[in-house]
Amino acid sequence: MPKKIAILHTSFVFVSVEPMINDLIAELVPDAEVLHFVDSDVLATVVREQGISPNSEARMTHLAQAAESAGADIIFSACSSLGPAVDVASRSVRTPVVKIDEAMAMRAAREGTRIGVLATVPTTLGPTSDLIQAKAKEIGRSLTLEQRLCEGAFSVLMSGDREKHDSMVIEQATDLAETVDMIVLAQASMSRLAEVLQEKIQLPVLASPRIGVDYLARRVAELPA
């Protein structure tokens, strides 16, 4: 029997704008059945409220519970901004929950010393930075983080203008590279640019989707038959 992977979305970016997560799962977990659970307003709410409220935590919990009720074998959260809310949601279900940026944060904590965290949504900077620091603490490493917001780029992407979005991100990353030894792209929506940026700035550039889905594939392989 194929395993059911439920993906939790907080916007339609990976449903209708950028299908990379579906493509990666098809490549790395080809036999899986994929279910999508979307609250297309919760990310906008977090941005508007400049933080994660108990109501937003409850909404992510409802998504996770719906995924479990649908028979998911594992739940994959596609949103970095709502990471702390996903932690709350995971405690309300028995189904294993994997966050898209979990494996990326561990790699950054192991390999980086002066890490630049680049985001296009302000609410992603804190959760991503906190996750990297938490992973560093787990392995006894000390590192410094510099946060950088590419303001307005996410709205540009959602309007369909990829070219402008990409140029905005590249400009900010190039500037950030002057003071760090690694850049972490805090949102999967920027990941298409990882190779381009790495070649341009000659520094390691980490993006979550492939690292995250590769980790998801390993977790799926460990599930009971």
Side-chain angles (χ1 to χ4, degrees), residues 41-57 59-60 81-85 121-127:
D41 178 67
V42 67
L43 178 58
T45 298
V46 169
V47 172
R48 185 170 60 249
E49 296 177 348
Q50 298 185 335
I52 300 171
S53 67
N55 181 58
S56 293
E57 290 178 349
R59 289 164 70 174
M60 293 306 294
S81 287
L82 273 291
V121 174
T123 51
T124 313
L125 285 171

Side-chain angles (χ1 to χ4, degrees), residues 107-182:
R107 182 170 166 187
R110 286 189 181 126
E111 300 176 9
T113 302
R114 292 177 294 117
I115 301 172
V117 180
L118 181 62
T120 59
V121 174
T123 51
T124 313
L125 285 171
T128 300
S129 300
D130 291 346
L131 186 58
I132 294 170
Q133 289 284 19
K135 296 298 184 184
K137 186 176 180 180
E138 285 177 14
I139 59 175
R141 289 205 71 218
S142 177
L143 47 81
T144 60
L145 298 178
E146 181 175 344
Q147 298 181 350
R148 179 70 60 89
L149 176 64
C150 189
E151 195 163 358
F154 187 74
S155 296
V156 169
L157 177 64
M158 292 303 288
S159 75
D161 193 343
R162 283 192 186 185
E163 187 174 340
K164 183 177 179 182
H165 165 271
D166 293 357
S167 67
M168 293 170 72
V169 171
I170 290 168
E171 180 181 358
Q172 288 287 347
T174 302
D175 185 65
L176 181 58
E178 298 294 324
T179 56
V180 300
D181 57 27
M182 170 187 284

